[in-house]
């Protein structure tokens, strides 16, 4: 089932929540259609929150050697930036379809805003998410000389409309990440974590609320 909420804010962004895992092919088709309609001003901007069945996606920078198990999950080639990423139940995927012509045609600024959005949402649960200049995503210091990734980012821009977006680990099966070297990171130095793995009883609904509450504070309203 899918719920659609139109947020009565200056941004005019529509929010859609899918309660059942969405096949990746269907998600791509929906995004392709919506991006075209946003560009032609036939539909409002959209933030789509969902989960996928277990699968792997390969970004434009994916390296064959980072795919450690080719048979465990379906692998999808995608036009987003980044390397290999796992998606599956317990992970909140946020597809962000925004018109950057109206918000500011600056890709670096947009990526920084996405990162800031995740950081602010995690802070609602007293989790300190951090950027790293040499690594993509949002990281958590485990206080033992090791850092774990809690959120991945991968976007695509078409005629200044964004799609794809963010994946935040709430309670996925972390062993599923063993099928890849996530975003090319070295497992001896860096791992993958989730909100529940950090000892926080956070539900998907809790995270959704935090994302909604911090969105307006992060993204500047359109003119």
């Amino acid at each position: 089932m899918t719920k659609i909420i139109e947020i009565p804010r200056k941004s005019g962004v529509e929010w859609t929540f899918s309660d059942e895992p969405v096949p990746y092919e269907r998600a791509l088709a929906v995004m392709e259609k919506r991006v075209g309609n946003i560009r032609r001003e036939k539909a409002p901007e959209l933030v789509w929150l969902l989960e996928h069945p277990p699968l792997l996606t390969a970004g434009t920078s994916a390296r064959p050697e980072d795919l450690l198990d080719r048979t465990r999950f379906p692998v999808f080639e995608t036009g987003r930036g980044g390397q290999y990423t796992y998606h599956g139940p317990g992970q909140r995927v946020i597809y962000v379809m925004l018109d950057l012509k109206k918000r500011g045609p600056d890709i670096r600024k947009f990526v920084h805003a996405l990162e800031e959005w995740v950081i602010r949402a995690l802070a609602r649960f007293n989790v300190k998410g951090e950027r790293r200049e040499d690594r993509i995503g949002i990281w958590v210091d485990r206080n033992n000389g090791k850092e774990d990734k809690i959120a991945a980012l991968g976007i695509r821009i078409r005629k200044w409309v964004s799609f794809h977006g963010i994946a935040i680990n709430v309670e996925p099966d972390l062993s599923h990440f063993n099928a890849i070297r996530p975003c090319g990171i070295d497992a001896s130095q860096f791992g993958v974590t989730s909100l529940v793995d950090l000892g926080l009883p956070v539900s998907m609904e809790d995270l959704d609320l935090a994302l909604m509450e911090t969105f307006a504070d992060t993204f500047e309203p359109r003119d």
Side-chain angles (χ1 to χ4, degrees):
M1 185 175 68
T2 297
K3 297 180 291 184
I4 298 176
I5 300 177
E6 294 185 5
I7 306 301
R9 295 173 178 163
K10 293 181 180 179
S11 64
V13 176
E14 182 181 282
W15 290 63
T16 297
F17 302 81
S18 294
D19 294 334
E20 298 178 357
V22 178
Y24 195 70
E25 302 97 323
R26 177 171 172 261
L28 286 179
V30 170
M31 284 194 287
E32 290 277 352
K33 182 177 180 179
R34 187 57 172 254
V35 165
N37 286 335
I38 292 171
R39 181 171 56 82
R40 292 188 293 270
E41 299 186 348
K42 292 184 177 181
E45 297 171 301
L46 174 66
V47 176
W48 185 14
L49 297 95
L50 66 148
E51 295 173 80
H52 284 305
L55 58 91
L56 304 173
T57 64
T60 55
S61 301
R63 301 178 301 183
E65 61 268 29
D66 290 333
L67 181 56
L68 305 180
D69 188 340
R70 298 175 181 274
T71 62
R72 189 171 183 184
F73 304 116
V75 181
F76 295 90
E77 302 289 334
T78 178
R80 63 158 175 80
Q83 301 180 34
Y84 280 106
T85 299
Y86 166 79
H87 294 311
Q91 181 190 70
R92 179 51 95 202
V93 175
I94 307 109
Y95 289 138
V96 184
M97 288 156 266
L98 299 180
D99 188 343
L100 302 189
K101 292 195 306 293
K102 297 179 178 179
R103 293 178 173 272
D106 186 326
I107 295 175
R108 182 171 295 185
K109 179 180 178 181
F110 176 61
V111 171
H112 188 275
L114 289 174
E115 293 171 338
E116 185 65 24
W117 185 26
V118 175
I119 290 169
R120 292 187 183 201
L122 293 175
R124 295 295 179 98
F125 310 107
N126 294 316
V127 174
K128 185 179 181 181
E130 299 178 305
R131 300 176 178 88
R132 292 292 181 262
E133 291 187 4
D134 60 337
R135 283 171 269 136
I136 298 171
I138 301 302
W139 298 81
V140 175
D141 187 344
R142 301 306 297 267
N143 297 317
N144 58 1
K146 190 175 182 181
E147 297 178 357
D148 287 347
K149 190 173 189 176
I150 194 168
L153 284 83
I155 65 165
R156 186 174 181 181
I157 307 294
R158 178 178 295 159
K159 296 185 178 180
W160 292 112
V161 178
S162 69
F163 57 127
H164 296 275
I166 306 164
I168 302 175
N169 297 331
V170 178
E171 192 179 6
D173 185 337
L174 296 179
S175 71
H176 287 185
F177 287 89
N178 295 335
I180 57 172
R181 188 174 291 113
C183 297
I185 61 176
D186 185 346
S188 66
Q189 293 179 284
F190 311 112
V192 180
T193 191
S194 68
L195 288 166
V196 171
D197 182 56
L198 293 173
L200 301 169
V202 177
S203 68
M204 204 67 74
E205 292 74 18
D206 294 333
L207 178 61
D208 291 348
L209 181 59
L211 289 165
M212 293 176 69
E213 291 176 343
T214 53
F215 181 86
D217 297 332
T218 309
F219 292 91
E220 295 180 357
R222 295 177 295 178
D223 295 333

